[in-house]
Amino acid sequence: MAVMDRLQDSAWQYVAEVLTSEDLPMLAAHALVDGHDSPALRELAGLPRRSDATEVDELYIQALGELGVPLPDEETAGRRLLVSLALGLVQGELSPKEVTDRLSITIAARTQEETRFLSVAAEYSEWIGPDDLPRWEHDLRAAAKLLAALTDLAPGIRPPVPRHD
């Protein structure tokens, strides 16, 4: 993946709170290695992982500005998150449970496919019965396939890397 794509992906992931401040110095270091450069990017890459979050966030936003990468609005970032989760499920990189763990209640769906995927995902609960779980997983995969096939947001979106919290 090209660095600018990585940086553009990081912008929506940052707004959707997929990336944390701790992730940003390493992201900046990778961007430098891949040939992108700006004063804020260099400074960010030199920070330790557990630096002050406010300072890291400010440098990240400044670096994106210096490199011409815009931060999307929350709605766009949320929609990209929905698509990335659907793609991750369709491609077998995420389980249905991982999808629900990463969804935010603040995500707004704009299309019928986004609404269906979000609605089915929201039906999950830790108390779902073992008899109902396979049907829910099937419905979530079906909604994910439909969203992945019909979205205009998919080009350039990668599924998020599974977290090991």
PDB file of all heavy atoms in Angstrom, residues 26-66:
ATOM      1  N   MET A  26       4.524   5.523  15.422  1.00  0.00           N
ATOM      2  CA  MET A  26       4.989   4.454  14.529  1.00  0.00           C
ATOM      3  C   MET A  26       4.454   4.670  13.116  1.00  0.00           C
ATOM      4  O   MET A  26       5.167   4.443  12.137  1.00  0.00           O
ATOM      5  CB  MET A  26       4.564   3.090  15.061  1.00  0.00           C
ATOM      6  CG  MET A  26       5.117   1.936  14.244  1.00  0.00           C
ATOM      7  SD  MET A  26       6.930   1.914  14.118  1.00  0.00           S
ATOM      8  CE  MET A  26       7.360   1.395  15.751  1.00  0.00           C
ATOM      9  N   LEU A  27       3.217   5.119  13.001  1.00  0.00           N
ATOM     10  CA  LEU A  27       2.658   5.438  11.684  1.00  0.00           C
ATOM     11  C   LEU A  27       3.512   6.507  11.004  1.00  0.00           C
ATOM     12  O   LEU A  27       3.841   6.390   9.819  1.00  0.00           O
ATOM     13  CB  LEU A  27       1.215   5.920  11.827  1.00  0.00           C
ATOM     14  CG  LEU A  27       0.557   6.385  10.531  1.00  0.00           C
ATOM     15  CD1 LEU A  27       0.064   5.186   9.741  1.00  0.00           C
ATOM     16  CD2 LEU A  27      -0.586   7.324  10.826  1.00  0.00           C
ATOM     17  N   ALA A  28       3.894   7.525  11.766  1.00  0.00           N
ATOM     18  CA  ALA A  28       4.743   8.588  11.223  1.00  0.00           C
ATOM     19  C   ALA A  28       6.104   8.042  10.807  1.00  0.00           C
ATOM     20  O   ALA A  28       6.632   8.421   9.755  1.00  0.00           O
ATOM     21  CB  ALA A  28       4.905   9.704  12.256  1.00  0.00           C
ATOM     22  N   ALA A  29       6.660   7.154  11.595  1.00  0.00           N
ATOM     23  CA  ALA A  29       7.963   6.564  11.254  1.00  0.00           C
ATOM     24  C   ALA A  29       7.872   5.784   9.941  1.00  0.00           C
ATOM     25  O   ALA A  29       8.754   5.894   9.081  1.00  0.00           O
ATOM     26  CB  ALA A  29       8.444   5.659  12.388  1.00  0.00           C
ATOM     27  N   HIS A  30       6.792   5.022   9.773  1.00  0.00           N
ATOM     28  CA  HIS A  30       6.596   4.281   8.515  1.00  0.00           C
ATOM     29  C   HIS A  30       6.455   5.237   7.332  1.00  0.00           C
ATOM     30  O   HIS A  30       6.984   4.986   6.253  1.00  0.00           O
ATOM     31  CB  HIS A  30       5.369   3.374   8.600  1.00  0.00           C
ATOM     32  CG  HIS A  30       5.580   2.142   9.402  1.00  0.00           C
ATOM     33  ND1 HIS A  30       6.376   1.102   9.000  1.00  0.00           N
ATOM     34  CD2 HIS A  30       5.097   1.798  10.623  1.00  0.00           C
ATOM     35  CE1 HIS A  30       6.370   0.156   9.917  1.00  0.00           C
ATOM     36  NE2 HIS A  30       5.607   0.565  10.923  1.00  0.00           N
ATOM     37  N   ALA A  31       5.743   6.330   7.541  1.00  0.00           N
ATOM     38  CA  ALA A  31       5.563   7.312   6.469  1.00  0.00           C
ATOM     39  C   ALA A  31       6.905   7.918   6.066  1.00  0.00           C
ATOM     40  O   ALA A  31       7.172   8.112   4.876  1.00  0.00           O
ATOM     41  CB  ALA A  31       4.586   8.404   6.901  1.00  0.00           C
ATOM     42  N   LEU A  32       7.767   8.193   7.033  1.00  0.00           N
ATOM     43  CA  LEU A  32       9.102   8.728   6.725  1.00  0.00           C
ATOM     44  C   LEU A  32       9.927   7.706   5.946  1.00  0.00           C
ATOM     45  O   LEU A  32      10.571   8.048   4.951  1.00  0.00           O
ATOM     46  CB  LEU A  32       9.841   9.123   8.005  1.00  0.00           C
ATOM     47  CG  LEU A  32       9.357  10.392   8.688  1.00  0.00           C
ATOM     48  CD1 LEU A  32      10.046  10.548  10.047  1.00  0.00           C
ATOM     49  CD2 LEU A  32       9.613  11.616   7.817  1.00  0.00           C
ATOM     50  N   VAL A  33       9.901   6.462   6.400  1.00  0.00           N
ATOM     51  CA  VAL A  33      10.653   5.400   5.727  1.00  0.00           C
ATOM     52  C   VAL A  33      10.179   5.255   4.282  1.00  0.00           C
ATOM     53  O   VAL A  33      10.974   5.011   3.377  1.00  0.00           O
ATOM     54  CB  VAL A  33      10.514   4.061   6.485  1.00  0.00           C
ATOM     55  CG1 VAL A  33      11.022   2.893   5.658  1.00  0.00           C
ATOM     56  CG2 VAL A  33      11.250   4.134   7.815  1.00  0.00           C
ATOM     57  N   ASP A  34       8.893   5.439   4.071  1.00  0.00           N
ATOM     58  CA  ASP A  34       8.328   5.301   2.729  1.00  0.00           C
ATOM     59  C   ASP A  34       8.516   6.534   1.852  1.00  0.00           C
ATOM     60  O   ASP A  34       8.035   6.564   0.727  1.00  0.00           O
ATOM     61  CB  ASP A  34       6.838   4.955   2.831  1.00  0.00           C
ATOM     62  CG  ASP A  34       6.614   3.542   3.362  1.00  0.00           C
ATOM     63  OD1 ASP A  34       7.530   2.701   3.272  1.00  0.00           O
ATOM     64  OD2 ASP A  34       5.515   3.282   3.865  1.00  0.00           O
ATOM     65  N   GLY A  35       9.172   7.573   2.391  1.00  0.00           N
ATOM     66  CA  GLY A  35       9.542   8.704   1.554  1.00  0.00           C
ATOM     67  C   GLY A  35       8.780   9.991   1.757  1.00  0.00           C
ATOM     68  O   GLY A  35       9.059  10.973   1.075  1.00  0.00           O
ATOM     69  N   HIS A  36       7.823  10.031   2.643  1.00  0.00           N
ATOM     70  CA  HIS A  36       7.114  11.290   2.910  1.00  0.00           C
ATOM     71  C   HIS A  36       7.804  12.021   4.031  1.00  0.00           C
ATOM     72  O   HIS A  36       8.344  11.412   4.943  1.00  0.00           O
ATOM     73  CB  HIS A  36       5.643  11.033   3.229  1.00  0.00           C
ATOM     74  CG  HIS A  36       4.889  10.651   2.006  1.00  0.00           C
ATOM     75  ND1 HIS A  36       4.343  11.572   1.156  1.00  0.00           N
ATOM     76  CD2 HIS A  36       4.628   9.454   1.465  1.00  0.00           C
ATOM     77  CE1 HIS A  36       3.772  10.953   0.145  1.00  0.00           C
ATOM     78  NE2 HIS A  36       3.938   9.658   0.310  1.00  0.00           N
ATOM     79  N   ASP A  37       7.773  13.350   3.935  1.00  0.00           N
ATOM     80  CA  ASP A  37       8.515  14.126   4.917  1.00  0.00           C
ATOM     81  C   ASP A  37       7.826  15.456   5.166  1.00  0.00           C
ATOM     82  O   ASP A  37       7.298  16.079   4.244  1.00  0.00           O
ATOM     83  CB  ASP A  37       9.940  14.368   4.404  1.00  0.00           C
ATOM     84  CG  ASP A  37      10.871  14.882   5.475  1.00  0.00           C
ATOM     85  OD1 ASP A  37      10.506  14.866   6.671  1.00  0.00           O
ATOM     86  OD2 ASP A  37      11.989  15.300   5.123  1.00  0.00           O
ATOM     87  N   SER A  38       7.811  15.832   6.416  1.00  0.00           N
ATOM     88  CA  SER A  38       7.376  17.159   6.826  1.00  0.00           C
ATOM     89  C   SER A  38       7.951  17.376   8.224  1.00  0.00           C
ATOM     90  O   SER A  38       8.265  16.409   8.922  1.00  0.00           O
ATOM     91  CB  SER A  38       5.846  17.279   6.837  1.00  0.00           C
ATOM     92  OG  SER A  38       5.298  16.753   8.031  1.00  0.00           O
ATOM     93  N   PRO A  39       8.093  18.620   8.636  1.00  0.00           N
ATOM     94  CA  PRO A  39       8.638  18.869   9.980  1.00  0.00           C
ATOM     95  C   PRO A  39       7.838  18.191  11.095  1.00  0.00           C
ATOM     96  O   PRO A  39       8.405  17.561  11.981  1.00  0.00           O
ATOM     97  CB  PRO A  39       8.586  20.399  10.102  1.00  0.00           C
ATOM     98  CG  PRO A  39       8.637  20.889   8.685  1.00  0.00           C
ATOM     99  CD  PRO A  39       7.899  19.860   7.878  1.00  0.00           C
ATOM    100  N   ALA A  40       6.512  18.287  11.044  1.00  0.00           N
ATOM    101  CA  ALA A  40       5.685  17.684  12.097  1.00  0.00           C
ATOM    102  C   ALA A  40       5.755  16.161  12.044  1.00  0.00           C
ATOM    103  O   ALA A  40       5.748  15.494  13.080  1.00  0.00           O
ATOM    104  CB  ALA A  40       4.236  18.156  11.981  1.00  0.00           C
ATOM    105  N   LEU A  41       5.845  15.597  10.839  1.00  0.00           N
ATOM    106  CA  LEU A  41       5.942  14.146  10.693  1.00  0.00           C
ATOM    107  C   LEU A  41       7.237  13.636  11.325  1.00  0.00           C
ATOM    108  O   LEU A  41       7.238  12.629  12.032  1.00  0.00           O
ATOM    109  CB  LEU A  41       5.869  13.750   9.214  1.00  0.00           C
ATOM    110  CG  LEU A  41       5.704  12.266   8.914  1.00  0.00           C
ATOM    111  CD1 LEU A  41       4.348  11.766   9.406  1.00  0.00           C
ATOM    112  CD2 LEU A  41       5.850  12.011   7.419  1.00  0.00           C
ATOM    113  N   ARG A  42       8.351  14.354  11.090  1.00  0.00           N
ATOM    114  CA  ARG A  42       9.638  13.970  11.698  1.00  0.00           C
ATOM    115  C   ARG A  42       9.562  14.038  13.211  1.00  0.00           C
ATOM    116  O   ARG A  42      10.022  13.131  13.908  1.00  0.00           O
ATOM    117  CB  ARG A  42      10.763  14.875  11.195  1.00  0.00           C
ATOM    118  CG  ARG A  42      11.232  14.555   9.792  1.00  0.00           C
ATOM    119  CD  ARG A  42      12.528  15.288   9.460  1.00  0.00           C
ATOM    120  NE  ARG A  42      12.404  16.733   9.583  1.00  0.00           N
ATOM    121  CZ  ARG A  42      12.079  17.557   8.603  1.00  0.00           C
ATOM    122  NH1 ARG A  42      11.840  17.085   7.406  1.00  0.00           N
ATOM    123  NH2 ARG A  42      11.992  18.846   8.801  1.00  0.00           N
ATOM    124  N   GLU A  43       8.979  15.109  13.720  1.00  0.00           N
ATOM    125  CA  GLU A  43       8.875  15.263  15.176  1.00  0.00           C
ATOM    126  C   GLU A  43       7.992  14.169  15.777  1.00  0.00           C
ATOM    127  O   GLU A  43       8.334  13.574  16.806  1.00  0.00           O
ATOM    128  CB  GLU A  43       8.318  16.651  15.517  1.00  0.00           C
ATOM    129  CG  GLU A  43       8.371  16.960  16.991  1.00  0.00           C
ATOM    130  CD  GLU A  43       7.941  18.386  17.331  1.00  0.00           C
ATOM    131  OE1 GLU A  43       7.858  19.236  16.417  1.00  0.00           O
ATOM    132  OE2 GLU A  43       7.674  18.631  18.516  1.00  0.00           O
ATOM    133  N   LEU A  44       6.873  13.877  15.122  1.00  0.00           N
ATOM    134  CA  LEU A  44       5.964  12.839  15.598  1.00  0.00           C
ATOM    135  C   LEU A  44       6.644  11.472  15.595  1.00  0.00           C
ATOM    136  O   LEU A  44       6.513  10.701  16.550  1.00  0.00           O
ATOM    137  CB  LEU A  44       4.705  12.814  14.724  1.00  0.00           C
ATOM    138  CG  LEU A  44       3.645  11.769  15.050  1.00  0.00           C
ATOM    139  CD1 LEU A  44       3.148  11.910  16.484  1.00  0.00           C
ATOM    140  CD2 LEU A  44       2.479  11.897  14.072  1.00  0.00           C
ATOM    141  N   ALA A  45       7.388  11.181  14.539  1.00  0.00           N
ATOM    142  CA  ALA A  45       8.067   9.885  14.437  1.00  0.00           C
ATOM    143  C   ALA A  45       9.106   9.693  15.543  1.00  0.00           C
ATOM    144  O   ALA A  45       9.398   8.561  15.928  1.00  0.00           O
ATOM    145  CB  ALA A  45       8.730   9.745  13.069  1.00  0.00           C
ATOM    146  N   GLY A  46       9.643  10.791  16.065  1.00  0.00           N
ATOM    147  CA  GLY A  46      10.661  10.701  17.102  1.00  0.00           C
ATOM    148  C   GLY A  46      10.107  10.581  18.514  1.00  0.00           C
ATOM    149  O   GLY A  46      10.868  10.399  19.467  1.00  0.00           O
ATOM    150  N   LEU A  47       8.793  10.676  18.662  1.00  0.00           N
ATOM    151  CA  LEU A  47       8.200  10.599  20.000  1.00  0.00           C
ATOM    152  C   LEU A  47       8.068   9.147  20.471  1.00  0.00           C
ATOM    153  O   LEU A  47       7.786   8.258  19.668  1.00  0.00           O
ATOM    154  CB  LEU A  47       6.810  11.245  20.015  1.00  0.00           C
ATOM    155  CG  LEU A  47       6.754  12.757  19.832  1.00  0.00           C
ATOM    156  CD1 LEU A  47       5.297  13.220  19.805  1.00  0.00           C
ATOM    157  CD2 LEU A  47       7.516  13.467  20.929  1.00  0.00           C
ATOM    158  N   PRO A  48       8.221   8.920  21.771  1.00  0.00           N
ATOM    159  CA  PRO A  48       7.963   7.580  22.303  1.00  0.00           C
ATOM    160  C   PRO A  48       6.476   7.240  22.211  1.00  0.00           C
ATOM    161  O   PRO A  48       5.616   8.133  22.199  1.00  0.00           O
ATOM    162  CB  PRO A  48       8.398   7.658  23.764  1.00  0.00           C
ATOM    163  CG  PRO A  48       8.999   8.996  23.975  1.00  0.00           C
ATOM    164  CD  PRO A  48       8.709   9.844  22.781  1.00  0.00           C
ATOM    165  N   ARG A  49       6.177   5.973  22.172  1.00  0.00           N
ATOM    166  CA  ARG A  49       4.803   5.475  22.038  1.00  0.00           C
ATOM    167  C   ARG A  49       3.880   6.032  23.121  1.00  0.00           C
ATOM    168  O   ARG A  49       2.726   6.310  22.884  1.00  0.00           O
ATOM    169  CB  ARG A  49       4.834   3.945  22.084  1.00  0.00           C
ATOM    170  CG  ARG A  49       3.505   3.302  21.880  1.00  0.00           C
ATOM    171  CD  ARG A  49       3.664   1.797  21.692  1.00  0.00           C
ATOM    172  NE  ARG A  49       2.421   1.082  21.816  1.00  0.00           N
ATOM    173  CZ  ARG A  49       1.514   0.943  20.866  1.00  0.00           C
ATOM    174  NH1 ARG A  49       1.716   1.485  19.701  1.00  0.00           N
ATOM    175  NH2 ARG A  49       0.418   0.273  21.069  1.00  0.00           N
ATOM    176  N   ARG A  50       4.352   6.200  24.307  1.00  0.00           N
ATOM    177  CA  ARG A  50       3.509   6.642  25.427  1.00  0.00           C
ATOM    178  C   ARG A  50       3.665   8.139  25.722  1.00  0.00           C
ATOM    179  O   ARG A  50       3.599   8.559  26.859  1.00  0.00           O
ATOM    180  CB  ARG A  50       3.836   5.828  26.669  1.00  0.00           C
ATOM    181  CG  ARG A  50       3.671   4.344  26.456  1.00  0.00           C
ATOM    182  CD  ARG A  50       2.851   3.733  27.554  1.00  0.00           C
ATOM    183  NE  ARG A  50       2.751   2.293  27.366  1.00  0.00           N
ATOM    184  CZ  ARG A  50       1.653   1.676  27.032  1.00  0.00           C
ATOM    185  NH1 ARG A  50       0.558   2.347  26.838  1.00  0.00           N
ATOM    186  NH2 ARG A  50       1.622   0.363  26.893  1.00  0.00           N
ATOM    187  N   SER A  51       3.830   8.924  24.691  1.00  0.00           N
ATOM    188  CA  SER A  51       3.948  10.377  24.851  1.00  0.00           C
ATOM    189  C   SER A  51       2.601  10.988  25.198  1.00  0.00           C
ATOM    190  O   SER A  51       1.557  10.339  25.093  1.00  0.00           O
ATOM    191  CB  SER A  51       4.466  11.007  23.553  1.00  0.00           C
ATOM    192  OG  SER A  51       5.770  10.570  23.281  1.00  0.00           O
ATOM    193  N   ASP A  52       2.636  12.267  25.573  1.00  0.00           N
ATOM    194  CA  ASP A  52       1.418  13.002  25.885  1.00  0.00           C
ATOM    195  C   ASP A  52       0.465  12.965  24.687  1.00  0.00           C
ATOM    196  O   ASP A  52       0.821  13.394  23.581  1.00  0.00           O
ATOM    197  CB  ASP A  52       1.776  14.456  26.242  1.00  0.00           C
ATOM    198  CG  ASP A  52       0.540  15.288  26.481  1.00  0.00           C
ATOM    199  OD1 ASP A  52      -0.159  15.033  27.479  1.00  0.00           O
ATOM    200  OD2 ASP A  52       0.274  16.187  25.648  1.00  0.00           O
ATOM    201  N   ALA A  53      -0.745  12.453  24.907  1.00  0.00           N
ATOM    202  CA  ALA A  53      -1.709  12.260  23.817  1.00  0.00           C
ATOM    203  C   ALA A  53      -2.057  13.562  23.115  1.00  0.00           C
ATOM    204  O   ALA A  53      -2.197  13.587  21.887  1.00  0.00           O
ATOM    205  CB  ALA A  53      -2.969  11.584  24.348  1.00  0.00           C
ATOM    206  N   THR A  54      -2.185  14.645  23.850  1.00  0.00           N
ATOM    207  CA  THR A  54      -2.529  15.927  23.244  1.00  0.00           C
ATOM    208  C   THR A  54      -1.433  16.373  22.285  1.00  0.00           C
ATOM    209  O   THR A  54      -1.712  16.799  21.159  1.00  0.00           O
ATOM    210  CB  THR A  54      -2.760  16.998  24.337  1.00  0.00           C
ATOM    211  OG1 THR A  54      -3.809  16.533  25.194  1.00  0.00           O
ATOM    212  CG2 THR A  54      -3.150  18.325  23.726  1.00  0.00           C
ATOM    213  N   GLU A  55      -0.182  16.251  22.702  1.00  0.00           N
ATOM    214  CA  GLU A  55       0.942  16.632  21.846  1.00  0.00           C
ATOM    215  C   GLU A  55       0.993  15.752  20.596  1.00  0.00           C
ATOM    216  O   GLU A  55       1.171  16.240  19.481  1.00  0.00           O
ATOM    217  CB  GLU A  55       2.264  16.501  22.623  1.00  0.00           C
ATOM    218  CG  GLU A  55       3.488  16.831  21.785  1.00  0.00           C
ATOM    219  CD  GLU A  55       4.803  16.580  22.512  1.00  0.00           C
ATOM    220  OE1 GLU A  55       4.803  16.038  23.627  1.00  0.00           O
ATOM    221  OE2 GLU A  55       5.841  16.936  21.925  1.00  0.00           O
ATOM    222  N   VAL A  56       0.809  14.458  20.780  1.00  0.00           N
ATOM    223  CA  VAL A  56       0.832  13.520  19.651  1.00  0.00           C
ATOM    224  C   VAL A  56      -0.281  13.858  18.664  1.00  0.00           C
ATOM    225  O   VAL A  56      -0.050  13.932  17.450  1.00  0.00           O
ATOM    226  CB  VAL A  56       0.708  12.062  20.155  1.00  0.00           C
ATOM    227  CG1 VAL A  56       0.465  11.101  19.001  1.00  0.00           C
ATOM    228  CG2 VAL A  56       1.951  11.657  20.929  1.00  0.00           C
ATOM    229  N   ASP A  57      -1.490  14.058  19.175  1.00  0.00           N
ATOM    230  CA  ASP A  57      -2.628  14.369  18.303  1.00  0.00           C
ATOM    231  C   ASP A  57      -2.396  15.666  17.526  1.00  0.00           C
ATOM    232  O   ASP A  57      -2.673  15.736  16.322  1.00  0.00           O
ATOM    233  CB  ASP A  57      -3.919  14.472  19.113  1.00  0.00           C
ATOM    234  CG  ASP A  57      -4.380  13.130  19.672  1.00  0.00           C
ATOM    235  OD1 ASP A  57      -3.846  12.081  19.258  1.00  0.00           O
ATOM    236  OD2 ASP A  57      -5.289  13.136  20.530  1.00  0.00           O
ATOM    237  N   GLU A  58      -1.890  16.684  18.202  1.00  0.00           N
ATOM    238  CA  GLU A  58      -1.626  17.961  17.530  1.00  0.00           C
ATOM    239  C   GLU A  58      -0.578  17.801  16.435  1.00  0.00           C
ATOM    240  O   GLU A  58      -0.735  18.344  15.334  1.00  0.00           O
ATOM    241  CB  GLU A  58      -1.185  19.010  18.546  1.00  0.00           C
ATOM    242  CG  GLU A  58      -2.317  19.483  19.435  1.00  0.00           C
ATOM    243  CD  GLU A  58      -1.858  20.396  20.580  1.00  0.00           C
ATOM    244  OE1 GLU A  58      -0.640  20.670  20.699  1.00  0.00           O
ATOM    245  OE2 GLU A  58      -2.734  20.821  21.359  1.00  0.00           O
ATOM    246  N   LEU A  59       0.486  17.064  16.712  1.00  0.00           N
ATOM    247  CA  LEU A  59       1.521  16.847  15.696  1.00  0.00           C
ATOM    248  C   LEU A  59       0.981  16.037  14.519  1.00  0.00           C
ATOM    249  O   LEU A  59       1.312  16.305  13.366  1.00  0.00           O
ATOM    250  CB  LEU A  59       2.734  16.134  16.302  1.00  0.00           C
ATOM    251  CG  LEU A  59       3.688  17.013  17.094  1.00  0.00           C
ATOM    252  CD1 LEU A  59       4.720  16.161  17.831  1.00  0.00           C
ATOM    253  CD2 LEU A  59       4.385  18.014  16.166  1.00  0.00           C
ATOM    254  N   TYR A  60       0.161  15.041  14.806  1.00  0.00           N
ATOM    255  CA  TYR A  60      -0.421  14.223  13.744  1.00  0.00           C
ATOM    256  C   TYR A  60      -1.285  15.081  12.821  1.00  0.00           C
ATOM    257  O   TYR A  60      -1.143  15.028  11.593  1.00  0.00           O
ATOM    258  CB  TYR A  60      -1.246  13.094  14.365  1.00  0.00           C
ATOM    259  CG  TYR A  60      -2.036  12.297  13.356  1.00  0.00           C
ATOM    260  CD1 TYR A  60      -1.404  11.433  12.473  1.00  0.00           C
ATOM    261  CD2 TYR A  60      -3.420  12.418  13.276  1.00  0.00           C
ATOM    262  CE1 TYR A  60      -2.131  10.700  11.541  1.00  0.00           C
ATOM    263  CE2 TYR A  60      -4.144  11.698  12.355  1.00  0.00           C
ATOM    264  CZ  TYR A  60      -3.500  10.842  11.489  1.00  0.00           C
ATOM    265  OH  TYR A  60      -4.219  10.132  10.567  1.00  0.00           O
ATOM    266  N   ILE A  61      -2.159  15.874  13.399  1.00  0.00           N
ATOM    267  CA  ILE A  61      -3.034  16.736  12.601  1.00  0.00           C
ATOM    268  C   ILE A  61      -2.206  17.750  11.810  1.00  0.00           C
ATOM    269  O   ILE A  61      -2.475  18.007  10.634  1.00  0.00           O
ATOM    270  CB  ILE A  61      -4.088  17.410  13.502  1.00  0.00           C
ATOM    271  CG1 ILE A  61      -5.055  16.337  14.023  1.00  0.00           C
ATOM    272  CG2 ILE A  61      -4.832  18.512  12.765  1.00  0.00           C
ATOM    273  CD1 ILE A  61      -5.946  16.793  15.157  1.00  0.00           C
ATOM    274  N   GLN A  62      -1.177  18.285  12.438  1.00  0.00           N
ATOM    275  CA  GLN A  62      -0.283  19.220  11.746  1.00  0.00           C
ATOM    276  C   GLN A  62       0.434  18.525  10.590  1.00  0.00           C
ATOM    277  O   GLN A  62       0.534  19.075   9.491  1.00  0.00           O
ATOM    278  CB  GLN A  62       0.734  19.800  12.733  1.00  0.00           C
ATOM    279  CG  GLN A  62       1.648  20.832  12.116  1.00  0.00           C
ATOM    280  CD  GLN A  62       2.641  21.398  13.137  1.00  0.00           C
ATOM    281  OE1 GLN A  62       2.450  21.279  14.350  1.00  0.00           O
ATOM    282  NE2 GLN A  62       3.690  22.001  12.636  1.00  0.00           N
ATOM    283  N   ALA A  63       0.938  17.315  10.821  1.00  0.00           N
ATOM    284  CA  ALA A  63       1.639  16.568   9.769  1.00  0.00           C
ATOM    285  C   ALA A  63       0.705  16.278   8.594  1.00  0.00           C
ATOM    286  O   ALA A  63       1.100  16.424   7.428  1.00  0.00           O
ATOM    287  CB  ALA A  63       2.208  15.265  10.326  1.00  0.00           C
ATOM    288  N   LEU A  64      -0.527  15.871   8.886  1.00  0.00           N
ATOM    289  CA  LEU A  64      -1.477  15.630   7.794  1.00  0.00           C
ATOM    290  C   LEU A  64      -1.687  16.896   6.984  1.00  0.00           C
ATOM    291  O   LEU A  64      -1.719  16.851   5.747  1.00  0.00           O
ATOM    292  CB  LEU A  64      -2.819  15.122   8.340  1.00  0.00           C
ATOM    293  CG  LEU A  64      -2.858  13.703   8.894  1.00  0.00           C
ATOM    294  CD1 LEU A  64      -4.276  13.366   9.356  1.00  0.00           C
ATOM    295  CD2 LEU A  64      -2.359  12.679   7.904  1.00  0.00           C
ATOM    296  N   GLY A  65      -1.822  18.025   7.666  1.00  0.00           N
ATOM    297  CA  GLY A  65      -1.990  19.298   6.973  1.00  0.00           C
ATOM    298  C   GLY A  65      -0.788  19.627   6.103  1.00  0.00           C
ATOM    299  O   GLY A  65      -0.943  20.066   4.961  1.00  0.00           O
ATOM    300  N   GLU A  66       0.411  19.423   6.630  1.00  0.00           N
ATOM    301  CA  GLU A  66       1.630  19.696   5.861  1.00  0.00           C
ATOM    302  C   GLU A  66       1.736  18.798   4.637  1.00  0.00           C
ATOM    303  O   GLU A  66       2.321  19.181   3.625  1.00  0.00           O
ATOM    304  CB  GLU A  66       2.865  19.507   6.760  1.00  0.00           C
ATOM    305  CG  GLU A  66       2.995  20.555   7.840  1.00  0.00           C
ATOM    306  CD  GLU A  66       4.070  20.239   8.872  1.00  0.00           C
ATOM    307  OE1 GLU A  66       4.697  19.157   8.808  1.00  0.00           O
ATOM    308  OE2 GLU A  66       4.274  21.085   9.758  1.00  0.00           O
TER     309      GLU A  66
END
